[in-house]
Amino acid sequence: MNARRPFPLALLLVPLLLAGCAAAPDRPETLRQALLNLGERAASRVIGAPALPQPPADLVLLLAAPEVNGELGIGQERFRESLTRALLAVSDGPQVLDWTESMGTGGGANQWRLESRLMADGPRLRLSDRELLPYRLTLVLRRPDGESVMWEESLQGALDASAL
């Protein structure tokens, strides 16, 4: 007699498990991507600032602790990490260091202090399927030992609240 071998049940479950993993929402990844995109926009603007000497590989950017509005649901460190990663990802880009008050004197000619402020820029916008959080990101370049603004730019946009 010809005996039939049972079909392994595990082979039927593999496609279902893979489909479930692919369809599962990944909120931390969505937030990470939203912050990376914001960081990349900011890095692009900073690197292209006319106040900075070129090439950017010769620069040292000293990142001041960012000011982040709590209404956005993004922590200061998460935003700082995103901006730092984006600046470091620039091809032949600058060195990036965290700035502290003790670095205020004796900075070299190639050092620039980058300040950033991420603020809510209006009320939440309610759409049919989500809420958007308008923001304004202000970027300021100064010399490490000075208070005068050498360059300033603001970026506006909106973050998807469901990603936060």
Side-chain angles (χ1 to χ4, degrees):
M1 265 204 192
N2 199 0
R4 292 184 109 188
R5 293 167 84 188
F7 190 74
L9 184 59
L11 290 178
L12 290 174
L13 294 176
V14 169
L16 291 173
L17 289 172
L18 290 176
C21 290
D26 194 8
R27 290 176 55 127
E29 185 60 33
T30 305
L31 172 60
R32 182 179 173 117
Q33 190 60 45
L35 286 177
L36 285 174
N37 290 343
L38 180 56
E40 287 170 356
R41 280 184 64 205
S44 173
R45 297 293 174 89
V46 169
I47 296 302
L52 291 178
Q54 296 297 321
D58 296 336
L59 301 174
V60 177
L61 286 178
L62 306 170
L63 265 59
E67 185 181 338
V68 179
N69 186 299
E71 291 178 37
L72 294 172
I74 299 170
Q76 180 184 35
E77 284 307 311
R78 288 182 94 174
F79 177 70
R80 177 186 248 170
E81 177 186 355
S82 173
L83 183 56
T84 301
R85 285 178 182 270
L87 287 165
L88 290 173
V90 172
S91 178
D92 295 323
Q95 289 183 336
V96 180
L97 302 171
D98 287 342
W99 183 80
T100 62
E101 293 289 330
S102 64
M103 296 174 153
T105 59
N110 66 336
Q111 293 183 354
W112 294 78
R113 185 174 78 213
L114 175 61
E115 298 171 358
S116 56
R117 212 171 90 203
L118 182 59
M119 296 289 150
D121 192 31
R124 290 177 179 247
L125 303 172
R126 287 176 177 36
L127 304 176
S128 61
D129 62 339
R130 65 183 149 203
E131 282 187 333
L132 298 178
L133 301 169
Y135 68 82
R136 177 184 304 267
L137 173 60
T138 303
L139 303 164
V140 176
L141 283 171
R142 302 178 197 271
R143 302 299 295 169
D145 55 355
E147 288 304 313
S148 63
V149 173
M150 306 303 284
W151 173 83
E152 181 174 349
E153 187 160 336
S154 290
L155 304 173
Q156 292 178 281
L159 297 169
D160 186 344
S162 65
L164 304 176

